[in-house]
Amino acid sequence: LATGVVSRQRDASVRTDDRQAISGGHSVKTALITGITGQDGAYLAEFLLGKGYAVHGVKRRTSLFNTARIDHLLEGAPGQEDRFVLHHGDMTDSSSLTHILQTTRPDEVYNLAAQSHVAVSFEEPEYTANSDAMGALRLLEAIRFLGLDKTRFYQASTSELYGLVQETPQRETTPFYPRSPYAVAKLYAYWITVNYREAYGIYACNGILFNHESPLRGETFVTRKITRALARIKLGTQDELKLGNLDAKRDWGHARDYVEMMWLMLQQDTPEDFVIATGQQYSVRDFVKAAAAELDIDITFEGEGLDEVGRDRDGRVIVSVDPRYFRPAEVETLLGDATKAREKLGWTPRTSFAELVAEMTRSDLAEARRDNSRG
Ligand code: NDP
Ligand code: GDR
């Protein structure tokens, strides 16, 4: 384990002859994904393995297992064995990132690792800046320093950059106005990506992705928190769901659709930045209603502000507002315009809002039933 490799493959470096051996004579492309254990990392890894890539992932050391989202890939589908390798590393540690880049020499780097929770960034602003802003710089600087002039770089930029919105809908030319330590850190990462492209000719792109969700979404983001709680309320194992700002509006898509765009962005002749969004907007309250309807829970909202509650058909309060979930500065509304991606990448989202909510709700109901049967 001296090299930090944590999968079954002994040597992390995949050289040309190894690549040809793996692919039975054809040269395969190599991708490096930071944040591979997260929602997007899992979908992207599966997508790239399906395209025949050798996929390397950066995983940080944790005291408990953190690979639940990718364990099925580590076990190796037929034909994918040995094409999936994990390395220990951390976005706050240049030496690990440089070493991994040096040994893997990837064709494509997808920088998805981040302290990605907006509310948490107010509590851990310095760490968020270190991992989200400086982390991107560390990777770009390593690419430059190692002379990896064929390596293409994707930066996970975000609609949070628009924050206090200056124009609706938001597109690539809309001015940024970040509203959290997370968004400010991502602003640095956005501009350092542009800067290394312009200064050093690195093929580097920003995907400005609006919110995207899935059954793999972290449990503390609002959509998953809602589907998970309502599934348990349906089964009678939870009484109430406490939320913050029910009026916040977001443009919610499916993570599976969005990772395909990350890849498409790196296949163009010239590197550019793209907004990725559905162009549809719903409030947190709308999401609760849609998930409740999926579960055949009849919910009615009444009251205002801190007194607003959602009652079921028996008049029981199942949703209430808890100011602990308010943020010091809120992003009230986001709505994206992905016209450029549609025209230049031929990209359109496949999954509708209703399909997304249904998939997440079904998955959480199945999980709640499993938990129940375990007692
Ligand atoms: P997740 O929070 O699900 O995953 C984040 C990943 O980053 C995890 O693998 C996490 O590891 C890893 N990570 C966090 N800190 C570090 C660190 N210091 N060193 C190494 N790895 C670290 O996020 P998503 O998959 O949802 O998002 C992927 C990226 O896209 C993030 O950068 C996010 O900010 C950005 N983004 C997400 C959007 C969304 O709606 N999902 C929209 C726009 C941008 P661990 O599993 O150990 O916690
Ligand atoms: P966001 O996602 O901040 O947009 O960042 P999140 O799901 O956390 O919040 C969306 C909106 O819902 C409101 N809200 C609540 N949020 C949470 N987490 N928990 C609650 O109980 C709650 N109640 C209401 C929030 O105030 C907010 O307005 C996500 C992350 O994935 C980022 O990494 C990414 O960059 C952006 O999406 C695009």
Side-chain angles (χ1 to χ4, degrees):
L1 285 179
T3 57
V5 177
V6 290
S7 89
R8 289 165 297 136
Q9 186 164 318
R10 278 196 208 102
D11 184 356
S13 54
V14 177
R15 297 172 202 90
T16 308
D17 45 347
D18 299 336
R19 293 181 194 182
Q20 287 175 353
I22 287 167
S23 64
H26 309 288
S27 185
V28 297
K29 276 191 177 175
T30 300
L32 176 69
I33 303 175
T34 70
I36 192 128
T37 57
Q39 170 189 256
D40 291 7
Y43 279 105
L44 181 64
E46 186 156 3
F47 175 80
L48 292 176
L49 286 167
K51 288 220 161 280
Y53 277 65
V55 175
H56 294 258
V58 180
K59 164 195 135 77
R60 55 185 173 167
R61 192 269 161 183
T62 45
S63 67
L64 291 170
F65 291 122
N66 64 348
T67 54
R69 293 181 174 111
I70 51 170
D71 279 343
H72 63 294
L73 301 175
L74 282 168
E75 280 153 21
Q80 293 184 1
E81 308 91 343
D82 301 332
R83 277 200 286 121
F84 190 44
V85 185
L86 296 187
H87 309 254
H88 277 129
D90 198 291
M91 296 308 293
T92 61
D93 178 29
S94 284
S95 62
S96 62
L97 298 176
T98 306
H99 178 75
I100 294 165
L101 278 167
Q102 189 175 28
T103 51
T104 57
R105 306 187 77 79
D107 298 290
E108 296 167 11
V109 175
Y110 296 88
N111 182 30
L112 309 186
Q115 190 302 91
S116 71
H117 204 284
V118 173
V120 171
S121 78
F122 287 97
E123 295 174 47
E124 298 183 15
E126 186 179 333
Y127 172 70
T128 302
N130 195 359
S131 52
D132 299 13
M134 296 300 288
L137 173 66
R138 289 183 181 105
L139 283 173
L140 285 162
E141 190 55 8
I143 290 170
R144 185 182 78 81
F145 177 76
L146 293 168
L148 300 177
D149 51 8
K150 299 278 186 303
T151 297
R152 297 183 169 202
F153 180 83
Y154 173 85
Q155 169 59 24
S157 286
T158 165
S159 50
E160 285 293 298
L161 294 172
Y162 299 118
L164 189 63
V165 299
Q166 307 292 300
E167 177 186 36
T168 297
Q170 296 84 51
R171 48 197 166 141
E172 291 79 5
T173 50
T174 302
F176 297 140
Y177 194 137
R179 292 269 283 172
S180 63
Y182 166 78
V184 175
K186 286 282 188 176
L187 185 77
Y188 178 88
Y190 172 93
W191 281 116
I192 203 67
T193 299
V194 172
N195 182 247
Y196 271 54
R197 177 169 78 211
E198 293 176 352
Y200 303 116
I202 293 178
Y203 188 115
C205 309
N206 285 288
I208 307 173
L209 271 54
F210 282 61
N211 297 55
H212 45 279
E213 319 293 312
S214 74
L216 298 185
R217 187 58 143 150
E219 288 99 343
T220 60
F221 296 99
V222 77
T223 56
R224 185 78 200 286
K225 183 174 168 183
I226 293 168
T227 55
R228 198 162 171 268
L230 289 181
R232 286 157 183 248
I233 289 170
K234 174 77 182 174
L235 296 189
T237 54
Q238 182 170 334
D239 295 330
E240 197 179 332
L241 164 63
K242 293 178 190 289
L243 292 169
N245 180 9
L246 296 174
D247 292 318
K249 294 186 183 65
R250 290 291 184 275
D251 177 330
W252 279 296
H254 198 303
R256 192 176 41 227
D257 297 348
Y258 285 33
V259 298
E260 184 179 349
M261 181 291 317
M262 298 175 185
W263 173 77
L264 268 176
M265 270 176 65
L266 295 195
Q267 313 311 311
Q268 306 306 302
D269 290 338
T270 45
E272 285 183 63
D273 307 321
F274 289 90
V275 159
I276 298 296
T278 67
Q280 305 281 322
Q281 190 190 51
Y282 296 89
S283 69
V284 170
R285 191 183 298 97
D286 294 334
F287 198 102
V288 174
K289 286 182 185 164
E294 263 314 302
L295 291 160
D296 200 23
I297 299 174
D298 199 1
I299 190 167
T300 313
F301 281 93
E302 60 183 50
E304 270 179 36
L306 283 173
D307 295 327
E308 183 168 359
V309 290
R311 293 184 191 276
D312 68 7
R313 56 174 75 92
D314 300 324
R316 241 173 11 115
V317 171
I318 54 170
V319 176
S320 62
V321 175
D322 187 332
R324 274 186 308 161
Y325 298 111
F326 291 164
R327 294 168 182 187
E330 174 65 304
V331 173
E332 293 289 349
T333 174
L334 290 171
L335 175 65
D337 174 0
T339 303
K340 181 178 171 188
R342 194 170 60 242
E343 289 179 356
K344 289 202 166 176
L345 304 177
W347 182 88
T348 46
R350 293 198 187 94
T351 315
S352 70
F353 177 75
E355 288 164 342
L356 172 69
V357 175
E359 187 183 332
M360 291 179 70
T361 309
R362 270 197 309 272
S363 167
D364 274 325
L365 187 59
E367 190 176 304
R369 285 201 175 110
R370 278 197 300 277
D371 288 350
N372 239 0
S373 64
R374 278 190 215 112

